[in-house]
Amino acid sequence: MEQKPAHVALAEHIRAHGMKKQDFAKMVGVRNDHLSRWLAGKVRPERPTRMLIALVTDGAVPTEAWE
């Protein structure tokens, strides 16, 4: 089974957990505009942030999905 692109998996995770985007951005310590660019697939977060995202999402958005 092919893995979803990270930005798609992240958007689905945020939506499925009824979170506000700004709340998720705070959880990982970034500004809302950074998160918006990630969700649009325009940029990738830095590796340490990718690791934090994997942790915060309980592995729903694994670090390697951003590669």
Side-chain angles (χ1 to χ4, degrees):
M1 183 168 112
E2 192 166 321
Q3 186 172 305
K4 292 179 186 177
H7 69 283
V8 172
L10 181 56
E12 287 177 358
H13 178 82
I14 292 170
R15 210 173 15 258
H17 286 81
M19 300 176 78
K20 293 182 179 181
K21 292 176 188 173
Q22 59 265 30
D23 292 335
F24 186 85
K26 285 180 186 178
M27 289 175 69
V28 296
V30 298
R31 295 188 329 233
N32 294 342
D33 62 322
H34 281 93
L35 178 60
S36 293
R37 285 188 224 127
W38 299 345
L39 293 173
K42 293 181 180 181
V43 296
R44 296 182 304 182
E46 297 292 324
R47 182 147 177 84
T49 306
R50 288 183 242 165
M51 293 171 69
L52 180 58
I53 291 169
L55 182 66
V56 169
T57 63
D58 292 324
V61 187
T63 304
E64 61 273 5
W66 296 98
E67 303 299 324

